[in-house]
Amino acid sequence: MLYRKFGREDFIVSSLGFGCMRFPVINNNDELIDEEKAIKMLRYAIDNGVNYVDTAYPYHNGQSEVFVGKALKDGYREKVNLATKSPVWLIKSYEDFYKYLNNQLQKLQTNYIDMYLLHALNKESWEQIIKLDVLKFLDEAKEKGLIKYPGFSFHGDIDTFKEIVDSYDWSFCQIQYNILDIDYQAGLEGLKYAASKGLAVIIMEPLKGGKLAITPPEKIQSLWDKSEIKRSPVHSALKWLWNQPEVTLILSGMSSIEQVMDNIKYADDSQIHSLTDEELKIVDEVHHTYNNLIKINCTTCGYCMPCPQGVDIPLNFSIYNDRYIYNDLKNSLKKYKDLHESKKASSCIECGKCQTLCPQNLPIIDALKKLHEELA
Ligand SMILES: NC(=O)c1ccc[n+]([C@@H]2O[C@H](COP(=O)([O-])OP(=O)(O)OC[C@H]3O[C@@H](n4cnc5c(N)ncnc54)[C@H](OP(=O)(O)O)[C@@H]3O)[C@@H](O)[C@H]2O)c1
Ligand code: SF4
Ligand code: SF4
């Protein structure tokens, strides 16, 4: 494992962090984490040098924090920097900041959180929590020793990102950044901006929620094949991120022990400035080619779920995107037909709940209608 300095702070973190949002589950139920498998995965990662663990209030329908609390027993808590996030969309008063923080400390079975983030900020949520005195809360919680390093994760526009960076003495921020999302949300510009101000920058969704891990379509594979050094698509995507000096750490949401082992192996090869100009040119071509193929920018994060009607929103979008990425209408038509009626896009009653929760600000209702027209 290689390590990098945490922004202006005086300690180092592993170049790979464990994202606790995609643990293996039982019976396809996101709340039912397969604890036996997941404990092995998390502890294997820590035993092999990972010292950063990222969870959040809503992950696995509230169960990720509870599980992480259990998994970090037996001396593992002391070996890691533990990150979790304030669910800002639930905060209606100043007291609520403490209500959720205290609940999280309890779930995580710890007296303090190392990295405490304001979760998934955008223009609207930032304006709302500023009115509720969030910065006073962060100072106070730090002073009381309940949190060590304040930060924020971000899913909004670049101007709001810069405004937030400049509004407080943050230790770090967390942005969505990958080969596809170079000019999206904070993107490359935000990465460089935050790093220039001394913030550590944590990368989330490095594989676009797994899209960059699936067997690439022919058009993409032929680009990767041009590279002299052969790497898997996952290795290539992670290595491109690690190549950049402004990146502090990559969070990977891993769902099997094999993925944990692979990514730890890749992290041994996470040096800065180690890609050639030729390799960087290939990444640029992959970026443009993929962006032309993907129709709906869903990262399958699941923040919009559960839908009260039972619509499986990320699955519908994934089937729709596959139709374009692989140019395989027949397969997508079959997959859509085989979906249980309640899970299909057509079960949407347009209540709008999902749209307010989507960090990508996707027009979910319209997109579901369009995909149903095409695939039904
Ligand atoms: N703060 C926020 O707003 C926010 C938002 C999103 C994420 N996050 C955090 O950032 C973390 C990372 O984001 P993410 O989970 O979306 O990460 P990601 O790395 O983009 O996607 C994770 C998925 O990639 C696939 N994968 C990972 N390693 C692989 C390997 N070696 N081989 C094949 N497939 C592999 C797995 O897909 P399959 O499971 O399909 O195999 C896995 O579920 C999250 O876990 C979470 O902690 C934060
Ligand atoms: S708008 Fe449709 S898909 Fe979204 S939560 Fe409501 S019923 Fe479900
Ligand atoms: S629609 Fe939005 S919230 Fe739902 S899984 Fe996709 S990106 Fe996440």
Side-chain angles (χ1 to χ4, degrees):
M1 180 62 59
L2 300 182
Y3 295 82
R4 294 188 184 187
K5 193 162 173 292
F6 198 75
R8 70 170 89 82
E9 308 291 349
D10 202 15
F11 62 91
I12 51 174
V13 289
S14 47
S15 58
L16 179 72
F18 206 116
C20 298
M21 182 174 109
R22 302 197 189 253
F23 286 124
V25 295
I26 297 166
N27 291 338
N28 248 341
N29 181 346
D30 200 41
E31 253 172 67
L32 269 186
I33 296 173
D34 187 329
E35 296 198 352
E36 203 185 320
K37 283 188 188 158
I39 283 196
K40 276 193 193 138
M41 288 163 57
L42 190 54
R43 291 189 175 181
Y44 177 90
I46 298 169
D47 291 340
N48 285 278
V50 168
N51 71 0
Y52 194 101
V53 175
D54 173 271
T55 181
Y57 187 79
Y59 292 174
H60 286 283
N61 235 338
Q63 291 308 304
S64 175
E65 289 179 329
V66 178
F67 166 73
V68 170
K70 289 186 209 166
L72 291 183
K73 284 184 165 181
D74 304 329
Y76 282 87
R77 169 68 185 94
E78 290 70 37
K79 294 181 184 175
V80 296
N81 295 288
L82 178 58
T84 195
K85 315 185 184 87
S86 177
V88 297
W89 57 93
L90 297 174
I91 307 282
K92 306 291 175 217
S93 67
Y94 188 77
E95 293 69 41
D96 279 352
F97 287 118
Y98 277 106
K99 180 175 116 185
Y100 287 102
L101 173 56
N102 287 329
N103 180 242
Q104 290 174 297
L105 289 167
Q106 206 177 14
K107 284 162 82 184
L108 286 160
Q109 303 188 44
T110 186
N111 297 325
Y112 65 95
I113 310 287
D114 297 280
M115 280 76 184
Y116 198 59
L117 300 89
L118 306 177
H119 198 168
L121 293 186
N122 58 28
K123 191 172 170 27
E124 292 72 34
S125 57
W126 175 241
E127 282 171 0
Q128 186 213 327
I129 54 171
I130 274 290
K131 284 189 210 143
L132 295 175
D133 245 348
V134 66
L135 301 179
K136 180 177 157 217
F137 159 71
L138 291 175
D139 283 341
E140 238 178 51
K142 204 173 150 186
E143 185 110 351
K144 289 180 180 170
L146 301 175
I147 67 172
K148 282 193 176 172
Y149 302 102
F152 66 95
S153 70
F154 188 77
H155 285 294
D157 63 90
I158 181 69
D159 291 340
T160 307
F161 179 76
K162 289 181 177 173
E163 185 192 323
I164 299 175
V165 166
D166 293 337
S167 298
Y168 185 67
D169 193 17
W170 307 101
S171 296
F172 70 109
C173 63
Q174 187 164 309
I175 61 170
Q176 173 172 332
Y177 186 55
N178 54 57
I179 289 181
L180 292 174
D181 295 324
I182 298 174
D183 312 310
Y184 187 61
Q185 297 184 353
L188 176 61
E189 189 180 342
L191 168 72
K192 286 187 180 284
Y193 189 78
S196 75
K197 304 270 171 163
L199 276 74
V201 186
I202 309 289
I203 304 301
M204 60 185 161
E205 316 209 23
L207 302 173
K208 187 90 177 166
K211 269 200 197 68
L212 291 167
I214 50 180
T215 311
E218 228 175 278
K219 270 186 182 174
I220 299 286
Q221 188 59 52
S222 61
L223 292 172
W224 288 131
D225 287 345
K226 289 201 292 187
S227 176
E228 259 180 55
I229 303 175
K230 305 297 173 210
R231 300 186 182 95
S232 70
V234 172
H235 190 182
S236 301
L238 299 180
K239 190 161 174 65
W240 173 75
L241 289 167
W242 278 317
N243 190 57
Q244 304 171 52
E246 297 87 358
V247 167
T248 304
L249 171 151
I250 299 179
L251 281 177
S252 179
M254 297 165 278
S255 63
S256 69
I257 187 75
E258 291 75 20
Q259 292 179 0
V260 177
M261 291 164 110
D262 280 350
N263 296 355
I264 285 175
K265 200 172 63 200
Y266 302 148
D268 285 337
D269 181 31
S270 59
Q271 300 86 349
I272 288 165
H273 292 318
S274 58
L275 289 178
T276 63
D277 288 349
E278 195 52 41
E279 287 171 320
L280 289 170
K281 207 171 139 236
I282 293 173
V283 171
D284 194 47
E285 290 175 60
V286 168
H287 164 73
H288 285 106
T289 311
Y290 251 131
N291 271 332
N292 287 334
L293 292 173
I294 288 180
K295 282 283 169 225
I296 298 177
N297 212 4
C298 170
T299 63
T300 68
C301 68
Y303 282 27
C304 56
M305 297 288 282
C307 152
Q309 296 304 305
V311 179
D312 192 330
I313 302 166
L315 183 57
N316 276 280
F317 288 162
S318 165
I319 293 172
Y320 188 58
N321 275 328
D322 283 358
R323 177 249 181 283
Y324 287 96
I325 294 176
Y326 298 107
N327 195 19
D328 189 354
L329 178 62
K330 204 169 142 203
N331 195 25
S332 288
L333 288 176
K334 180 173 178 334
K335 278 195 187 154
Y336 191 68
K337 186 164 168 267
D338 290 348
L339 262 189
H340 188 278
E341 212 50 45
S342 67
K343 291 190 174 186
K344 281 187 183 172
S346 50
S347 295
C348 170
I349 56 160
E350 304 186 20
C351 72
K353 175 182 168 262
C354 54
Q355 291 199 161
T356 57
L357 296 170
C358 175
Q360 313 300 325
N361 295 316
L362 295 178
I364 297 178
I365 297 174
D366 286 348
L368 287 175
K369 268 194 217 159
K370 189 164 185 309
L371 82 83
H372 181 70
E373 276 165 24
E374 279 189 42
L375 300 182

